Amino acid sequence: MTGLLVVEDDPDLGLALRTVLDRAGYETVLAEDGQTALRLLFAERPALMILDLVLPGLDGWEVLDRTRDMTDLPVLILSGRTSPAERVRGLRAGADDYVTKPFDTQELLARIEALLRRSRPDQWRGDYVEAGLRMVPERRSAVWQGREVRLSDIEYRLLQVLVRNRGRVVTNEQLLDLVWDSPDGSGRERVKFAVLRLRRRLSVPEASAVEDPVESVRGVGYRYRGAP
């Protein structure tokens, strides 16, 4: 069974989540504080983490930061903090999705399923190679201008979609559908911050003649232009 790590300091809510997830066919482990979450993350190697932000000891932000230092597993923030600023902060910090409390159980399960689908091995056959870029599916990385760049699942899928459409503009809605499996086009801020993280990964020295490979098309989306 697929293992999930639920990090939630409210024991009643934690038990309720565990019951829902177990009935959906997942194997769930619970952590009620940040330190326990990091220990279980290392010991259990879950496929996905559901993370509350308000925790005793290490808070959710610290757990997310340390998690991203260790692994690229999907992280879904489940929080009572509902302001747009908190959602933006979570996505910018590296969370793959953000769901607010109270939540709909079926929507939560659908979002978990979508994140797990995206984290499975890619369907690319062998390496993808073009000028200045080689994508390596088995390592979830890209070799850009001779330098290997490790990518998260979202960053890899984002680059993959853009490269497959080289020279063409891919709209925000299309990216949400293809990368985040969100065909209704909700959560456009996720695209913005994922592109920012991808650009940082593919950064080049200022003196280099190589341009930013991902071009913004204001109000529409993004285009991969590759190396000159």
Side-chain angles (χ1 to χ4, degrees), residues 28-177:
T28 310
V29 291
L30 295 177
E32 294 187 1
D33 61 78
Q35 290 285 8
T36 302
L38 293 175
R39 178 177 58 78
L40 289 174
L41 178 66
F42 182 79
E44 300 290 337
R45 303 295 176 95
L48 179 143
M49 176 191 291
I50 299 172
L51 177 65
D52 188 17
L53 294 176
V54 180
L55 300 169
L58 292 177
D59 66 13
W61 299 115
E62 293 174 286
V63 172
L64 177 59
D65 185 55
R66 296 192 188 186
T67 297
R68 281 291 168 256
D69 287 340
M70 294 188 290
T71 177
D72 292 324
L73 94 161
V75 176
L76 184 151
I77 290 178
L78 183 62
S79 174
R81 296 179 175 179
T82 61
S83 73
E86 289 293 297
R87 296 173 66 92
V88 167
R89 181 184 175 189
L91 296 169
R92 179 176 284 169
D96 298 286
D97 204 349
Y98 193 116
V99 176
T100 58
K101 303 173 184 175
F103 55 90
D104 178 80
T105 299
Q106 293 305 311
E107 180 186 0
L108 178 65
L109 290 173
R111 288 176 179 265
I112 290 170
E113 290 167 8
L115 289 175
L116 290 172
R117 268 198 309 273
R118 296 198 298 269
S119 69
R120 289 171 183 164
D122 239 42
Q123 299 303 311
W124 285 59
R125 295 182 178 178
D127 296 357
Y128 176 88
V129 182
E130 69 133 46
L133 173 71
R134 179 165 61 90
M135 297 188 72
V136 189
E138 65 271 15
R139 292 206 300 272
R140 222 51 168 185
S141 67
V143 178
W144 169 249
Q145 299 299 309
R147 174 176 59 93
E148 183 168 18
V149 181
R150 295 299 301 272
L151 303 172
S152 69
D153 288 325
I154 288 294
E155 291 161 356
Y156 186 90
R157 287 176 63 88
L158 177 61
L159 180 59
Q160 180 190 68
V161 170
L162 291 171
V163 168
R164 282 176 167 170
N165 292 276
R166 191 183 198 281
R168 297 195 297 268
V169 177
V170 186
T171 68
N172 291 298
E173 290 73 20
Q174 289 171 326
L175 288 172
L176 281 165
D177 185 10

